[in-house]
Amino acid sequence: MKFQLPQLPYSYDALEPYFDTETMRIHHTKHHQGYTDKLNKAIEGTKLSNEPIEHILREVSKHSISLRNNAGGYFNHRLFWNILSPNGGGEPEKGSEIQKAIAQKYSDFDNFKKSFKEMAMNRFGSGWAWFSLYEPTNDLFISSTPNQDNPLMDDLVEFPGIPVLGLDLWEHAYYLKFQNRRADYIDAFFQLVDWKTVERNLETARRVASMA
Ligand code: MN
């Protein structure tokens, strides 16, 4: 098997009381495992089985809908788990690259959070909200995509980029605890975001962009 379900960098109950244990367990062992298995099945025996996930995503329109959904699901959840931490929340450290990048574009953190929440609230149905680097200008931007699409699918999405932070807006991510209260779920998410990891993602994205 080419792609493997990544282990979570914390236990299923570590994100309580914001994200509940049961949701984390089902989300990881059923949903993310399902995307991973179906992705592997879709690429089995094809030349894609030797390609990094980012390359598959960037040319995803050449392939089946199933590959698009499952490659997206695999990548999106991997990013999502990594930017969460029991020690997360709060604001990026003053003077850090991510703090400066947010301040430059959104003037302050609260304004960024408000814009991100608005984008996440306005996604109709299932999808994701993103904070990404737009490679040609090195600019950060907020966007949202339906289903398991993401900004790396640059031949499909309206606003392409390299995501540094993503929020799962599928009901499977929050319904057990929050039911229809997506706004409360988004607030809980911000209590868990590990800004140091988001900053590392930004550094990696800038490196990738500078090589393109
Ligand atoms: Mn999900």
Side-chain angles (χ1 to χ4, degrees), residues 157-207:
V157 294
E158 194 178 352
F159 302 105
I162 303 174
V164 299
L165 175 148
L167 171 59
D168 192 340
L169 298 172
W170 285 57
E171 282 187 347
H172 70 224
Y174 63 88
Y175 206 83
L176 281 182
K177 184 177 170 74
F178 298 98
Q179 291 82 48
N180 60 323
R181 303 187 307 276
R182 188 187 277 186
D184 293 349
Y185 163 67
I186 299 167
D187 291 339
F189 166 73
F190 274 106
Q191 300 285 344
L192 296 170
V193 173
D194 179 4
W195 290 104
K196 283 204 171 12
T197 303
V198 178
E199 171 152 272
R200 274 202 301 279
N201 291 345
L202 175 60
E203 283 163 4
T204 306
R206 281 177 171 167
R207 241 189 341 266

Side-chain angles (χ1 to χ4, degrees), residues 27 31-32 35 73 77 80-81 128 148 168-170 172-173:
H27 203 173
H31 294 277
H32 199 187
Y35 298 125
H77 289 84
F80 186 48
W81 308 137
W128 289 73
Q148 295 294 352
D168 192 340
L169 298 172
W170 285 57
H172 70 224

Side-chain angles (χ1 to χ4, degrees), residues 8 57 96 119 126 148 204 210:
L8 297 188
L57 292 171
S96 64
M119 184 65 80
S126 296
Q148 295 294 352
T204 306
S210 72

Side-chain angles (χ1 to χ4, degrees), residues 9-94:
Y10 38 74
S11 60
Y12 290 122
D13 62 359
L15 306 183
E16 294 270 9
Y18 304 108
F19 286 4
D20 65 286
T21 310
E22 191 61 3
T23 299
M24 286 301 296
R25 191 191 308 278
I26 297 171
H27 203 173
H28 183 245
T29 63
K30 304 293 180 199
H31 294 277
H32 199 187
Q33 181 75 66
Y35 298 125
T36 307
D37 291 345
K38 287 178 193 150
L39 166 62
N40 283 326
K41 210 167 165 207
I43 62 170
E44 201 177 2
T46 75
K47 61 176 172 36
L48 294 180
S49 56
N50 298 314
E51 289 201 22
I53 189 68
E54 289 83 358
H55 291 186
I56 295 176
L57 292 171
R58 282 180 187 271
E59 300 195 330
V60 83
S61 69
K62 293 180 181 166
H63 308 296
S64 68
I65 285 284
S66 169
L67 183 61
R68 169 178 172 176
N69 289 337
N70 291 298
Y74 169 77
F75 175 91
N76 296 349
H77 289 84
R78 199 181 61 173
L79 174 69
F80 186 48
W81 308 137
N82 275 331
I83 57 152
L84 303 175
S85 164
N87 306 313
E91 299 187 13
E93 196 182 329
K94 205 131 191 86

